[in-house]
Amino acid sequence: MSADSPLALPPARLTQRPGFWAGIAVVALGLAAVAAGNLTRAGSEPLPQLGALPDFTFTRHDGQPFGSAQLRGHPFIANFIFTRCPTVCPAFTRKMAHVQTSTDSFGTNLQLVSFSVDPKYDTPARLTEYGQLHGANFARWSFLTGDYDVLKDTIVQGFKVSMGREPGSAEDDLLSIFHGTHFVLVDSQGQIRGYYDSADSDSTDRLLRDVKRLASEEG
């Protein structure tokens, strides 16, 4: 609409109604305060409990048994990889390495656990080499292998994360192996407290915040 149009209105003068604008400012400040309060409450509320993990024991990269008994009393972050993965696993493991660095202040109380979804190939020696390649602090970060069917049952039924291989595929068909790419946060009692998409940087940031929330909650 042009300025010459008979329907054009004169320029608004904001000083004509100071009470109105003062009211708008008060409302805006009130909404901001409510939003801040909601964020504060969200940050202080306990994380959801999403299910208890079954007890499990697998073989650690150093050849020792490792599982629920060793993790009891320690919150941990799990992910699911295989060492000869040609697609998402290298990036997923680099994200876990970033999580390791970002949570150094928690020391060995917070554990990191990578479950192999290709355990027939991923021997303890190969997992050790893989962990060293990615800068794993083995005092905090464990790589697990074991019986395929037991691992699959633990990952799918326990963690509620996908894992498998396309039926009829050859052993060396690496693209036939599939698995979920979410981090899983588990508390010191074995309760799942959150899932975080490793491909989403905001989700990974939320994981780091939730680790702090969980530490505060467990005291």
Side-chain angles (χ1 to χ4, degrees):
M1 183 181 301
S2 72
D4 296 330
S5 167
L7 297 179
L9 299 176
R13 296 176 58 194
L14 300 185
T15 55
Q16 286 179 332
R17 302 177 63 189
F20 172 80
W21 294 105
I24 290 293
V26 170
V27 171
L29 288 172
L31 291 174
V34 169
N38 287 339
L39 287 173
T40 300
R41 285 192 295 275
S44 61
E45 290 176 355
L47 295 170
Q49 295 193 6
L50 303 174
L53 289 177
D55 288 341
F56 61 87
T57 301
F58 296 111
T59 302
R60 197 171 179 258
H61 58 268
D62 57 4
Q64 296 301 308
F66 189 89
S68 304
Q70 291 73 28
L71 290 165
R72 191 163 294 117
H74 297 278
F76 69 94
I77 299 166
N79 77 337
F80 312 91
I81 52 90
F82 61 109
T83 63
R84 55 181 180 165
C85 172
T87 54
V88 299
C89 296
F92 199 5
T93 304
R94 286 193 297 271
K95 286 286 183 71
M96 183 69 107
H98 170 68
V99 169
Q100 174 184 249
T101 302
S102 300
T103 58
D104 273 343
S105 61
F106 293 95
T108 57
N109 183 58
L110 176 68
Q111 292 286 304
L112 312 176
V113 185
S114 292
F115 293 79
S116 172
V117 301
D118 184 22
K120 184 175 180 179
Y121 180 86
D122 284 339
T123 62
R126 286 192 171 109
L127 290 174
T128 297
E129 183 179 0
Y130 186 79
Q132 290 171 339
L133 177 66
H134 289 278
N137 172 3
F138 289 135
R140 299 184 59 212
W141 189 352
S142 299
F143 294 79
L144 304 186
T145 188
D147 179 83
Y148 180 88
D149 290 332
V150 179
L151 267 163
K152 184 176 180 180
D153 186 66
T154 298
I155 292 171
V156 175
Q157 303 301 326
F159 285 94
K160 309 301 182 186
V161 170
S162 65
M163 167 191 166
R165 182 189 287 271
E166 294 177 8
S169 59
E171 178 63 28
D172 60 354
D173 182 2
L174 304 184
L175 294 179
S176 70
I177 300 173
F178 61 88
H179 59 91
T181 56
H182 282 68
F183 291 111
V184 183
L185 177 61
V186 182
D187 68 19
S188 61
Q189 304 304 311
Q191 280 278 346
I192 296 172
R193 307 303 292 271
Y195 292 88
Y196 310 85
D197 183 359
S198 65
D200 180 355
S201 58
D202 289 340
S203 186
T204 305
D205 290 342
R206 182 168 59 86
L207 166 62
L208 297 175
R209 292 195 299 270
D210 284 354
V211 167
K212 295 178 182 178
R213 289 176 62 189
L214 183 60
S216 176
E217 177 185 328
E218 296 194 328

